[in-house]
Amino acid sequence: MMKKKYLYTPGPVPMYPQTLKIGAMQTPYFRNQWFADMLLECEQLLLGLLHAPQNSRVVFLTASGTAAMEAVVQNLLDAQQHAVVINGGGFGQRFVDLCRLHHKPCSEYPVADDNLRQTEQLSAHTDVDTLLINGHETTTGLLYDLEAVGQFCKNNRILHIVDAISMFVTDELDMQKQNIDALIISSHKGLALPPGLSMVVLTEKAIDRLQPVHQLYFDFADCLQNGQRGQTPFTPAVTIIMQLHQRLQQISDEGIAAHIAKAASVAGYFRKQIKKLPLRVYSTFMPNAMTALSPVDGCSARQLVADLDARYDIVVTPNGGALQDRVFRVAHMGNMDTAYMDILIDALHDYFDIPRQGQQ
Ligand SMILES: *Cc1c(COP(=O)(O)O)cnc(C)c1O
């Protein structure tokens, strides 16, 4: 039996009891009307929660989020046209790498601690036909202003593709208001499901742009055709789709605004309660989903992450590469409340040997 750990990672995240209950069930057969009705309902619920324009569709992929990013690059980018990738960290870089790997011409727009509310500087990139962005760059905790970027894309007739994997359910997403043409989400972040399911939401504009792909498994045209009858071309992640169905109904019943507000309050509480600690927030434009932190007393972020696990059974997220000693991350996604954040807040005060007063 694995030891109980307190998770504050941006995937997997703490799951809800209802999700765990479905996970314990026998996987049912799926080439039938029961499954089709459930998948079609998932599609409609998702489109509603995302305020997707009419005639948008959802592609369900049995894969983690990176596969959905790769599939989007293959299915939506034209080998004869130019794309620009907003690169603010590891996930922006992943889009760049995917474009290069699949021979899709792209330039990158490097970003450091800028949410792109001012899009003037992007104007050097109006000769592109597609813009790729990670709405929340999870490696640095940077949330972009998707409304401003969407307006820029609209003004310049650029297809706006958003990886919203670490935003959905915790931070505002509105495909119409933010002028998003294609959007990627995944099961194991804000949705608080196990990893293994990704979804790509395509507007009519994006569907019109589908490219012929040399690809059997991630062919969007094939997925869309099967999706019309509530099926996927190949065996789907049946259990995760059952869990998704339950979650989407619940989020929809309670209102997504309530979920975003809850994430905002949990994140706000955490940031306020750690003010006395030698930690400083790494990003000026933080999402509700996560807080990226830098130790300021010369202590190594990597060591802190290891010590929290060894001494308190708390799992926060280390960074890789150049940031590994400077940054670690605390997620606020999934089944979390202020009491759950208190476990980490208390441990951090104990670790730094600083008394925690005025607890509220
Ligand atoms: C988690 C995440 C992904 C997907 O990563 P996988 O390891 O493939 O699940 C993609 N983009 C962003 C912004 C993410 O946070």
Side-chain angles (χ1 to χ4, degrees), residues 229-249:
R229 61 183 173 100
Q231 293 289 344
T232 53
F234 312 103
T235 307
V238 180
T239 299
I240 308 179
I241 290 171
M242 289 164 65
Q243 292 167 317
L244 174 73
H245 187 242
Q246 188 279 328
R247 277 287 285 151
L248 292 176
Q249 279 181 324

Side-chain angles (χ1 to χ4, degrees), residues 204-247:
E204 257 186 320
K205 201 168 144 197
I207 293 171
D208 286 343
R209 276 273 299 266
L210 288 181
Q211 307 289 312
V213 288
H214 303 284
Q215 177 87 36
L216 186 76
Y217 198 73
F218 293 122
D219 179 347
F220 285 179
D222 191 18
C223 294
L224 289 175
Q225 197 183 9
N226 277 274
Q228 272 166 352
R229 61 183 173 100
Q231 293 289 344
T232 53
F234 312 103
T235 307
V238 180
T239 299
I240 308 179
I241 290 171
M242 289 164 65
Q243 292 167 317
L244 174 73
H245 187 242
Q246 188 279 328
R247 277 287 285 151

